[in-house]
Amino acid sequence: EVLAEIVAAMDESGQLFDLATAAARAPEIETRRALLDLLGAFGRRAIHALLAALDAAEHEEVVRELSRRLMDLGDVAVDPIRHALEHRQVKPTSAPHLLRILAAAEGSSCLDILSRYMRHPTPLVRSTALEVAMKASPMGARPDVLAAIADKDADVGRRAIRLMEQLLTKQPEGTVDGEYVTALLGVLG
């Protein structure tokens, strides 16, 4: 009970966020891991602090470690991650990592989750959602990828074309995907 009060006080005063930011920016690996272990001891109360740390992280190895820590929290992290993505409470560079966590946490229903993010206002989020969906279920993601070819952001459209090309290379030789050709013609006018 005393520990719960200490954790609540740290949470309310912002000390968990300070701890998370220090962990994300610690130059020494051992220091960073120790701070993250300490933060992890706070369990679900640390989720928002871990999200803030993910935004503060400047190195890919730190981002991977924070993503793993969030994934380790399991289902309790799913709703806060969704909320952060839907309300744009994280940097666009953090969104791809969070989408991957959601996809891993949701397993077979990840296409339902990802389809919402394929319409997200941030192009990087849309592009990443397409990529994660194609890895999770290539044929299931196919309609969304075809639609994304005409995305208002050229980079998202190009990414969708590359993803469809990857899918087409797995089809029997000599087959033509009429819907893909139609989608491309629609973009070309």
Side-chain angles (χ1 to χ4, degrees):
E1 189 174 306
V2 173
L3 182 58
E5 289 176 23
I6 293 170
V7 171
M10 287 183 75
D11 194 14
E12 289 174 17
S13 70
Q15 288 177 315
L16 286 180
F17 285 96
D18 294 343
L19 177 63
T21 302
R25 294 188 174 151
E28 300 85 24
I29 292 171
E30 291 306 314
T31 303
R32 184 170 52 245
R33 285 193 180 136
L35 291 171
L36 287 172
D37 286 344
L38 181 59
L39 190 60
F42 292 105
R44 67 185 311 161
R45 284 192 174 269
I47 293 170
H48 294 288
L50 286 168
L51 290 170
L54 189 66
D55 268 355
E58 297 170 355
H59 302 288
E60 187 61 31
E61 67 191 45
V62 177
V63 169
R64 281 193 305 271
E65 178 67 19
L66 288 163
S67 296
R68 187 186 64 75
R69 302 275 177 149
L70 280 164
M71 209 176 296
D72 288 348
L73 289 170
D75 291 342
V76 298
V78 170
D79 286 338
I81 289 172
R82 277 189 190 146
H83 183 80
L85 284 167
E86 290 169 5
H87 294 84
R88 293 195 273 175
Q89 295 173 335
V90 292
K91 292 179 186 174
T93 53
S94 298
H97 303 284
L98 296 176
L99 286 171
R100 288 184 187 101
I101 292 168
L102 283 180
E106 294 296 318
S108 62
S109 67
C110 74
L111 286 180
D112 294 334
I113 294 165
L114 293 171
S115 67
R116 282 187 282 163
Y117 296 105
M118 291 178 204
R119 294 179 295 280
H120 195 275
T122 306
L124 179 62
V125 173
R126 292 194 306 274
S127 181
T128 302
L130 288 169
E131 187 175 336
V132 172
M134 280 295 279
K135 287 179 183 174
S137 175
M139 291 311 290
R142 186 176 168 279
D144 290 314
V145 174
L146 284 170
I149 289 172
D151 193 278
K152 61 186 174 195
D153 183 84
D155 289 335
V156 175
R158 281 191 292 273
R159 183 68 191 136
I161 290 169
R162 283 193 293 277
L163 290 169
M164 277 304 298
E165 288 171 351
Q166 290 172 7
L167 184 61
L168 291 174
T169 61
K170 296 175 183 165
Q171 288 186 341
E173 193 171 324
T175 60
V176 176
D177 186 324
E179 289 180 72
Y180 176 59
V181 173
T182 303
L184 284 176
L185 290 174
V187 171
L188 296 174

